[in-house]
Every structure is written in structure tokens, then in C-alpha cells.
Amino acid sequence: MTANSYGFDTLAIHAGQEPDPRTGAVVPPIYQTSTYAQDAVGAPRLGYEYSRSGNPTRDSLQECLAAIEGGRRGLAFASGLAAEDTLLRTVCRPGDHVVIPNDAYGGTFRLFSKVAERWGLDWTAAPLQDIDAVRAAFRPGHTRLIWSETPTNPLLNVNDIAQLAGLAHEYDAMLAVDNTFASPYLQQPIALGADVVIHSTTKYLGGHSDVVGGALITADDGFGDELAFHQNAMGGVNGPFDAWLTLRGIKTLGVRMERHCDNAERIVGYLSEHPAVASVLYPGLDTHPGHEVAAKQMSRFGGMVSFRAAGGPEAAIAICNRAKLFVLAESLGGVESLIEHPGQMTHLSAAGSALEVPADLVRLSVGIETVDDLLADLEQALG
């Protein structure tokens, strides 16, 4: 099944998920096995030998991921960072260089600064919404990858995917886009020129805060084969039950994202008028510097909202602590609404660096609850 033949919601429900040929089960089985009986020496049945190398449940998820992102090959991992690490070590060698966002996710920054750098990989942080700054950060012959998030976590900056792809390809480099915040329902980077898409499937794809996972989706079969080799060689795969949970979540991604967006838009309107809020960061606002680019490459503006507290860092922390219906927790993209203080939670690893986030910043993952209840909780939390 491909995006050319079916709509998004049909792909989300059916791609890679044909009824079980043996029993007719509508939902793909969980193949909870580590190994497989072989028909003869050198003749594994249907190519399955060992579940690190291949598992039918994971294969169903991988086929679905490729279909909903409009890619050629999908690969599933134990976490988003396992997917990121596999991508870096497939594309890069010691001595190579990567351009990353100057407001990257804290875990991504930690991977580059504390792990990949020790392996010999160099990197430069740049504001990816400024194409001239990205070009200035390039080291022709050494830069192998532009690493983009759009919208970014947690400042919700927006990068022009097509523009970045053109620059990367001009220098024979690749563009990787972390599409976690938008989800493939709202944005499809491969159609805009990206070479590979990254997901923390823990977030909107899983959608229920009950599974951790990651994914890579490629625009090219050959590059997909290279990543698949490293996926097996490095071994950071997800288990069959995790793959099954993620598939279950994907089935309702479209309807969930519509409610996430509806609720977020109502909350943004409320926060924009509240005296305890200094500014609201949301790509759907006309005043957002990336609004026009977001409107061009996204179908809607997502369920993530950040704002800066008028009372400063202490006020931001107090707001987080007073919330009741908004659960004080890391992560995002689940059906329940979450609130966090990025500076002391998800982005603590960036403290003291050029990627440190403002101390008065609050990030909301707006869920799919009744929006009036969410607004009432924010009213009491803001004080």
C-alpha cells in the first residue's frame, strides 16, 4: 500500500496489516519469539532466523511507517535516540561534521556532545531557520548531514524543509528531519526533499504514553538497506509487543491529531490574552516568525504549545507545580495533557551550553480531553 493509492487514514489502519493468513485475525499477531525453526540448514522459513534481525510484528510496523511518511523503507527501534544513533553511525565517520539546530531536543544535543563527539564526530549548532547561517556553518567535504527538527523542541521554531534539502544536496550532504512534533499526519518531509525522517514513536505515533520506540524512514531503497544493516549490527530494535502497541496507536493518529490541534488552538487563544503569560510560542500564530513556512509545509500547526511566564523562572515553576489535569511529566504526544519546565526537565542536559532554553519557559503537550476542562486547569495554575 502506498500514499499514491490510498488516503492517510486508510494507510494508517491497513498498511502492513493484512489479516493473518492462517487464522484470519484482523489485527496482526504479536510474534513474541526470539528465534525461528528453519526448514533446513541455510533455509530459514520466510527469511526469519532471529528476532533482532527480523520479526513479523516489527515488519508490519516498518511497512506502515514507510507508507504513512511516503517513504521507501521504514525501520523501527527501541527508542528515538537508538534510531538517531544508528543514523549517525551509518552516515558519518570519525572526522565528519554535522550541522544541528541551535535549539535541538536535549537528548539529541546530549547524543552529539557527550557520545558522538567522543567518537570523533564534529558538529556545529546553527539557527536552521536562517539559511545563510546554515550555509556559513557548512564545511564542504566534511559536512555529511543537516539535522533538522521542525517544529523544534521546545521553542517551536520552524525550518524550511525544502530549502534545507536544496542546500544539503548542493554540497552532496543529506537532510534528516525529526518529524516527531508534527507527525506524518501534519507534515511529510520526504515529499519536501528530505533524505530520512526520524521519529520518537513514543510520542504521537504511539499516542498513549504506554510504549517507547523510534523510527527512521528513508526516501531511497539503497540508503534504507544501509540503515537496515546497521539496525541489525547495532541491535537497537524494539520488541514485538512494543511494535504492536505502536501499530495500534498509529491507527487513530489522524483523528487524534485533529483533536490535539483543535484543543491547542483554543489554549493558544486563551494564553495569548492572559496577563501571567509574557509570550506564546506556537506556529499557528500570525505573529510567529515561522508561521508562513509552517503554513506552507504543514496541514495544521500541531498540539505542542510553549509559553514564557511573565513572572520569570519562579513563576514558570509554580505554574507547572499547580497544574492538576495537566500532568507534570516529561514526554509528549499522548492522549493526556502534560506540562513541564524544559530547563529543569527534558532540556537539563543543555544547561550552560549555547542550547540552554529560557528558564521562564513552560511547555504544554495538549491532549484530547474536553478543552474547557483544560482551560479551567490553566486558569487555576496561572493564578
Side-chain angles (χ1 to χ4, degrees):
M1 300 182 72
T2 67
N4 295 327
S5 55
Y6 292 98
F8 182 91
D9 291 312
T10 302
L11 294 172
I13 293 168
H14 293 286
Q17 302 170 76
E18 295 295 325
D20 179 53
R22 189 171 71 87
T23 66
V26 172
V27 176
I30 303 170
Y31 286 89
Q32 193 69 45
T33 185
S34 60
T35 192
Y36 306 83
Q38 301 190 22
D39 294 327
V41 173
R45 193 175 306 172
L46 300 177
Y48 292 108
E49 302 172 304
Y50 186 62
S51 275
R52 172 173 42 78
S53 304
N55 177 280
T57 314
R58 187 166 76 243
D59 286 348
S60 293
L61 171 59
Q62 293 181 154
E63 185 177 337
C64 185
L65 288 166
I68 62 175
E69 275 288 7
R72 298 293 301 174
R73 184 77 180 266
L75 298 164
F77 295 84
S79 69
L81 282 167
E84 293 186 12
D85 186 40
T86 302
L87 173 61
L88 282 179
R89 289 201 270 175
T90 302
V91 174
C92 300
R93 301 290 183 271
D96 285 345
H97 175 253
V98 179
V99 179
I100 72 169
N102 67 345
D103 56 348
Y105 163 56
T108 298
F109 171 70
R110 182 177 57 230
L111 177 64
F112 276 93
S113 64
K114 305 297 184 184
V115 180
E117 187 174 300
R118 293 176 60 191
W119 179 61
L121 183 65
D122 201 4
W123 55 275
T124 300
L128 297 196
Q129 60 272 25
D130 180 349
I131 197 67
D132 292 331
V134 180
R135 186 182 293 276
F138 243 80
R139 300 177 188 173
H142 293 281
T143 302
R144 303 299 176 201
L145 195 64
I146 297 175
W147 188 285
S148 171
E149 297 174 20
T150 185
T152 62
N153 179 9
L155 297 178
L156 294 167
N157 286 313
V158 175
N159 306 321
D160 189 319
I161 296 171
Q163 193 176 56
L164 289 174
L167 177 60
H169 299 157
E170 178 184 339
Y171 288 100
D172 198 28
M174 302 179 76
L175 173 64
V177 176
D178 186 335
N179 201 30
T180 298
F181 263 36
S183 88
Y185 181 73
L186 300 180
Q187 178 174 269
Q188 296 193 333
I190 286 174
L192 298 169
D195 299 286
V196 58
V197 171
I198 307 156
H199 279 283
S200 170
T201 59
T202 309
K203 312 305 193 293
Y204 285 111
L205 292 173
H208 294 79
S209 301
D210 57 8
V211 61
V212 173
L216 299 173
I217 301 96
T218 70
D220 176 77
D221 283 316
F223 183 46
D225 291 342
E226 291 181 49
L227 287 170
F229 171 83
H230 284 79
Q231 179 196 42
N232 179 50
M234 295 168 66
V237 298
N238 59 355
F241 185 52
D242 292 345
W244 185 88
L245 284 171
T246 306
L247 266 176
R248 184 192 63 171
I250 288 173
K251 287 176 184 288
T252 60
L253 178 62
V255 292
R256 286 188 287 107
M257 291 308 300
E258 291 291 345
R259 176 63 74 86
H260 285 300
C261 293
D262 288 345
N263 284 359
E265 288 168 8
R266 286 281 305 278
I267 286 170
V268 165
Y270 168 78
L271 293 173
S272 297
E273 301 297 326
H274 201 287
V277 175
S279 62
V280 180
L281 312 179
Y282 186 67
L285 289 169
D286 291 344
T287 53
H288 189 286
H291 175 70
E292 290 186 8
V293 174
K296 177 179 67 174
Q297 64 191 23
M298 300 174 70
S299 59
R300 294 187 72 178
F301 301 104
M304 299 302 299
V305 180
S306 293
F307 66 90
R308 300 185 72 168
E314 291 185 3
I317 292 170
I319 291 166
C320 292
N321 287 336
R322 283 196 297 261
K324 294 184 174 68
L325 190 57
F326 277 86
V327 179
L328 179 61
E330 298 186 0
S331 198
L332 58 104
V335 293
E336 60 286 303
S337 294
L338 305 179
I339 189 170
E340 70 135 355
H341 184 265
Q344 294 193 27
M345 294 173 70
T346 53
H347 289 67
L348 183 60
S349 62
S353 76
L355 280 73
E356 183 173 12
V357 299
D360 59 0
L361 189 73
V362 175
R363 192 192 74 179
L364 305 178
S365 174
V366 180
I368 66 171
E369 301 96 336
T370 302
V371 70
D372 288 339
D373 296 330
L374 296 175
L375 291 168
D377 189 40
L378 288 172
E379 177 68 23
Q380 67 82 24
L382 288 165

